[in-house]
Amino acid sequence: MLSNESLQSPAFSRSNSQASIDSASMEDFWREIESIKENSLGVQEEQTSAEAKPLDEGELEAEWLQDVGLSTLISGDEEEGGKALLSTLTRTQAAAVKKRYNTYTQTMRKKNKQSVRDVRDIFGVSESPPGDTCDNHPSQLDGTQEEKELPGVIKTSGSLPDDASFNITTLSDGSQDEEGSFAVPRSGSMSILETIPDVPAHSNGSADPGQSVQNAVSDDEYLEKDIPLQAEELSFEVSYSEMVTEAPKRNKFKKSDFKKEDYILPKFIVQKTRFGLTEAGDLSAEDMKKIRHLSLIELTAFFDAFRIQLKRNKTEKVKGRDSGIFGVPLTVLLENDRRKDAGVKVPLVLQKFFQKVEESGLESEGIFRLSGCTAKVKQYREELDAKFNADKFKWEKMCHREAAVMLKAFFRELPTSLFPVEYIPAFITLMERGPHIKVQFQALHLMIMALPEANRDTAQALMTFFNKVIANESKNRMSIWNISTIMAPNLFFSRSKHSDCEELLLANTAAHIIRLMLKYQEMLWKVPSFLIAQVRRMNEATMLLKKQLPSVKKLLRRKTIERGVISPKTSKVLQKSPSTRRMSDVPEGVIRIHAPLLSKVSMAIQLNSQTKAKDILAKFQYENSHGSSEGVKIQNQRLYEIGGNIGQHCLDPEAYILDVYHVNPQAEWVIKPQPSV
């Protein structure tokens, strides 16, 4: 993380406002920096660096729009994915997109370039007069200028042509009340906020009956308070940015000081829902791509709610190597590895490093402090680059110390850091404003969900490995503080130049983020339910657009974004109406399960409100073992929801299937093995 000018221990005393590390950990930190300096002298010559061209604000926002899947706003192309994404955004997410697109269009005007589309063509609102800001004056709609009004929201619960029976939210000039009748839109000038519901959508797409956001998340959860003595509940059902905007007095924060001797990370538990919990690997690659887009929008909206800018200034770029092991992009390594094993999610060489340390190094004192034999490390590096992909490297001659050294070098020499270091300044500001770890957890959760697939899977495997090391702390003397401090400059590195004070603050913050990942690993790689609900709505909207229904195409051209919430009454209609059911000869409440790899390949099962995924798996296990001399074990088998409004979803064994069936009545149900990481 530190630039060459900052490799010596600085002679200054840090203020109490900075996150601090105890003296022992600081010794580990500076020892690691010296080791990085010594081992990187020859490597720097091999890497080809290119100074990043400074980007103006408009170009940065254009890149942001591309990264979140909204490049069509720049190109002007008619594409279903962008329309579907816009139709599912929450209020805070829509505001974040609008803000970035406004910045982009204003920059284009300054360059005397006409932007492809006016913001009013997308959001249906006029721009604020010069001098007005969004903070002080909400955007107004001028009824005298082209009679621009923000269209209301219609919830369609009836049948659609061509069997398109989805509970899709479409757009119109009118709004809908709880009874499902249309309200006449008001004319004249009005605030954009007046047309947006105040309650965020829950994971099932409906408002929680009788419960406001303030009840779902108590007011003092974002205020200054002591570390709780008992576990706190986390909710994945409501948008994090909506939680923040609804929580009153959210600005009453004090600067936090994280010290080893008096700071303990609180314990969290995730609120149980009838849909269960979903791992990142439980969804199809296409749906996880949509999760990434939504997560980056939500992360931006989350920081916007705290009035923190999520700046992504470009740093010096390093061109990755095309072959070998070190300095090669993760995607290239995985592409090579999948020629040997199509299901690989973590680079095989990294798995080998884990294996070598686990074989004999978990109890080795100071395993990640030691630098190993420099000559041997250099020799092994060269041999790995030349022989690993051909399976000719002799792993038995490498000891755990060299494996630990090369594991650190592997991450340090990636063309881009495993985690986005450009987000750390925003995280620093968040830590200074909000002492509550729950807020930091939510920001980190979204950051992990926004990672590229290769980075996300590799990071999860790395945290699993480090927790095994920490479990042997009594023998190896590697605590969560030691691991996080040593690994910070290897996992979060920047090639830009900073002062000593800035570099140390960045390193301390990176170490704190790693501690959060190690502590909350079991929760951070679970996909928030509210994002899955948005993906379902995106898929429904995309299918309707592809059917090219004239009425739907007309409605989705209405220049707005859905931010509405299905009312409890409307939700019940959507769940119980025969028009939204899958049209087949299967009776109501009965699903047919297919298990192509088992002897009992198909079975119809009557669902009730208490039927869980594990009950269905148990029934198949019993049916397949009945009358057989050898029982059939299906412990690695999982129930999948496939098709309808989801690509593929490996269901939590604790999920209530009737609830999933109501949300996705057109799905097929399959039992098959869960792929390993």
Side-chain angles (χ1 to χ4, degrees):
M1 172 174 289
L2 302 186
S3 55
N4 290 335
E5 289 78 3
S6 307
L7 289 174
Q8 301 299 323
S9 178
F12 64 88
S13 58
R14 292 173 289 116
S15 65
N16 291 332
S17 64
Q18 297 175 353
S20 60
I21 301 177
D22 70 334
S23 58
S25 296
M26 284 307 303
E27 290 178 6
D28 288 340
F29 174 77
W30 290 115
R31 189 182 297 115
E32 182 65 19
I33 293 302
E34 281 298 322
S35 176
I36 291 174
K37 181 180 179 181
E38 292 173 1
N39 294 321
S40 63
L41 292 178
V43 176
Q44 290 177 351
E45 298 176 359
E46 300 175 10
Q47 295 178 332
T48 303
S49 61
E51 193 70 30
K53 179 183 177 181
L55 301 179
D56 61 34
E57 205 169 8
E59 291 171 323
L60 288 173
E61 302 302 10
E63 282 199 359
W64 184 90
L65 289 168
Q66 292 174 349
D67 289 345
V68 301
L70 291 174
S71 59
T72 54
L73 296 185
I74 301 172
S75 65
D77 295 336
E78 294 290 329
E79 190 263 328
E80 291 89 356
K83 292 180 180 178
L85 175 57
L86 287 171
S87 72
T88 66
L89 298 181
T90 65
R91 176 182 57 182
T92 51
Q93 291 170 356
V97 172
K98 179 173 180 277
K99 179 180 178 182
R100 272 75 199 170
Y101 188 73
N102 262 328
T103 303
Y104 166 74
T105 55
Q106 289 169 8
T107 305
M108 291 297 101
R109 291 194 191 101
K110 290 178 181 178
K111 293 181 177 180
N112 296 321
K113 294 181 180 180
Q114 183 64 36
S115 58
V116 176
R117 301 169 69 184
D118 190 275
V119 68
R120 291 169 295 182
D121 294 332
I122 303 165
F123 296 93
V125 297
S126 61
E127 298 178 57
S128 300
D132 287 353
T133 63
C134 294
D135 293 339
N136 299 324
H137 303 280
S139 299
Q140 298 292 326
L141 302 175
D142 191 348
T144 61
Q145 297 181 3
E146 301 180 8
E147 293 297 320
K148 298 286 185 179
E149 287 189 348
L150 185 68
V153 179
I154 295 178
K155 312 295 183 183
T156 60
S157 57
S159 60
L160 293 171
D162 297 337
D163 296 328
S165 55
F166 298 101
N167 53 338
I168 184 68
T169 300
T170 52
L171 308 172
S172 176
D173 288 328
S175 60
Q176 186 181 28
D177 59 19
E178 290 186 357
E179 301 298 329
S181 61
F182 299 118
V184 179
R186 291 176 295 171
S187 60
S189 177
M190 63 178 179
S191 168
I192 186 174
L193 297 180
E194 292 178 303
T195 67
I196 300 174
D198 291 330
V199 184
H202 288 252
S203 62
N204 61 356
S206 63
D208 196 4
Q211 182 177 5
S212 65
V213 176
Q214 285 86 344
N215 290 331
V217 181
S218 60
D219 298 347
D220 62 350
E221 285 180 337
Y222 288 96
L223 306 181
E224 173 188 337
K225 63 179 182 179
D226 297 330
I227 297 298
L229 298 178
Q230 58 185 7
E232 281 192 85
E233 280 194 331
L234 291 172
S235 173
F236 288 175
E237 292 193 89
V238 183
S239 160
Y240 294 160
S241 60
E242 293 283 351
M243 284 187 191
V244 175
T245 56
E246 292 295 333
K249 304 177 183 178
R250 62 182 180 274
N251 293 324
K252 288 192 175 181
F253 295 117
K254 71 174 184 179
K255 293 184 178 181
S256 52
D257 187 18
F258 299 101
K259 295 183 179 180
K260 180 177 178 180
E261 58 270 16
D262 61 3
Y263 183 76
I264 299 176
L265 293 174
K267 181 180 179 180
F268 292 137
I269 56 174
V270 181
Q271 288 180 359
K272 293 182 179 180
T273 72
R274 294 184 64 85
F275 293 90
L277 298 174
T278 300
E279 295 278 353
D282 291 343
L283 295 173
S284 66
E286 188 62 30
D287 284 342
M288 276 309 302
K289 182 179 179 181
K290 296 167 187 173
I291 292 288
R292 280 188 58 206
H293 293 161
L294 288 165
S295 297
L296 182 51
I297 295 174
E298 175 70 8
L299 179 64
T300 306
F302 185 81
F303 279 110
D304 282 350
F306 285 96
R307 301 179 185 273
I308 300 173
Q309 285 195 320
L310 193 64
K311 288 290 186 182
R312 301 197 305 157
N313 296 324
K314 295 297 179 182
T315 58
E316 184 180 4
K317 296 180 180 179
V318 172
K319 182 181 179 181
R321 299 170 59 196
D322 297 326
S323 61
I325 297 299
F326 296 90
V328 179
L330 289 175
T331 51
V332 175
L333 290 173
L334 288 170
E335 183 180 347
N336 294 332
D337 291 343
R338 284 168 183 161
R339 294 169 185 164
K340 306 173 187 177
D341 184 350
V344 169
K345 294 185 176 181
V346 178
L348 292 176
V349 68
L350 190 58
Q351 295 185 43
K352 283 290 188 179
F353 290 151
F354 294 161
Q355 182 181 341
K356 291 300 296 184
V357 175
E358 290 175 15
E359 283 176 356
S360 57
L362 288 180
E363 296 182 358
S364 176
E365 183 172 348
I367 177 62
F368 281 96
R369 292 193 191 95
L370 304 176
S371 59
C373 175
T374 304
K376 284 186 178 181
V377 169
K378 183 178 180 181
Q379 175 189 343
Y380 292 154
R381 281 175 53 99
E382 294 173 353
E383 291 184 10
L384 279 170
D385 277 334
K387 300 179 180 180
F388 177 79
N389 288 326
D391 294 326
K392 295 182 179 180
F393 182 77
K394 305 296 183 182
W395 285 95
E396 59 272 13
K397 63 183 181 181
M398 182 187 294
C399 75
H400 57 266
R401 288 187 296 274
E402 280 78 31
V405 172
M406 285 190 287
L407 183 149
K408 292 187 293 184
F410 173 86
F411 287 105
R412 188 171 62 248
E413 294 174 25
L414 287 173
T416 57
S417 66
L418 184 65
F419 300 109
V421 69
E422 61 265 29
Y423 292 158
I424 286 190
F427 209 95
I428 290 174
T429 306
L430 185 68
M431 289 170 59
E432 291 177 341
R433 293 187 184 180
H436 203 292
I437 299 299
K438 179 182 286 189
V439 178
Q440 299 170 27
F441 172 93
Q442 291 172 330
L444 180 57
H445 196 186
L446 295 171
M447 187 185 80
I448 288 174
M449 289 296 108
L451 287 174
E453 180 183 8
N455 295 54
R456 187 187 63 245
D457 292 339
T458 300
Q460 184 177 19
L462 183 64
M463 294 304 132
T464 300
F465 166 72
F466 279 140
N467 273 319
K468 292 179 183 179
V469 175
I470 294 168
N472 291 272
E473 178 188 354
S474 60
K475 296 181 179 179
N476 61 33
R477 306 299 181 187
M478 298 301 300
S479 67
I480 187 173
W481 283 79
N482 299 130
I483 289 291
S484 61
T485 305
I486 290 172
M487 292 306 300
N490 294 288
L491 299 179
F492 291 85
F493 58 79
S494 170
R495 294 180 175 88
S496 299
K497 297 179 180 180
H498 301 284
S499 67
D500 289 341
C501 184
E502 290 172 338
E503 293 284 10
L504 192 57
L505 183 56
L506 289 172
N508 288 345
T509 305
H512 178 64
I513 291 174
I514 294 173
R515 284 193 289 276
L516 293 180
M517 284 191 281
L518 290 169
K519 173 71 175 180
Y520 304 119
Q521 180 202 349
E522 295 298 322
M523 291 173 281
L524 284 169
W525 273 263
K526 299 283 193 303
V527 184
S529 305
F530 69 88
L531 292 179
I532 298 176
Q534 286 186 263
V535 169
R536 290 186 186 275
R537 294 197 293 273
M538 281 182 64
N539 290 337
E540 289 173 348
T542 300
M543 285 186 286
L544 289 175
L545 285 165
K546 285 183 177 179
K547 288 180 180 290
Q548 296 186 342
L549 301 175
S551 58
V552 174
K553 290 184 72 176
K554 181 179 179 180
L555 291 171
L556 289 180
R557 286 197 193 108
R558 302 302 298 185
K559 315 160 192 168
T560 188
I561 292 176
E562 175 214 343
R563 307 173 189 85
V565 178
I566 303 175
S567 69
K569 296 182 181 179
T570 306
S571 177
K572 292 178 182 178
V573 172
L574 289 174
Q575 291 186 7
K576 296 181 180 180
S577 172
S579 64
T580 61
R581 293 285 179 224
R582 179 181 170 188
M583 301 303 293
S584 69
D585 56 354
V586 179
E588 178 73 12
V590 175
I591 61 174
R592 181 163 292 280
I593 310 290
H594 300 279
L597 300 182
L598 301 178
S599 57
K600 183 76 172 179
V601 298
S602 181
M603 187 187 304
I605 294 181
Q606 174 70 56
L607 301 176
N608 60 50
S609 61
Q610 299 304 312
T611 305
K612 294 183 178 181
K614 67 179 182 181
D615 300 327
I616 295 175
L617 293 171
K619 187 172 182 62
F620 262 84
Q621 182 169 0
Y622 173 78
E623 292 291 338
N624 279 273
S625 61
H626 186 63
S628 175
S629 58
E630 185 175 344
V632 179
K633 294 184 179 181
I634 60 171
Q635 281 82 356
N636 193 41
Q637 305 284 324
R638 293 284 292 274
L639 178 61
Y640 283 78
E641 163 201 9
I642 300 176
N645 58 28
I646 204 78
Q648 175 174 284
H649 183 195
C650 181
L651 294 167
D652 187 334
E654 296 296 324
Y656 290 89
I657 304 305
L658 188 60
D659 293 73
V660 182
Y661 169 74
H662 284 158
V663 168
N664 191 11
Q666 293 200 341
E668 294 185 356
W669 308 87
V670 178
I671 292 178
K672 60 180 182 177
Q674 183 182 23
S676 57
V677 177

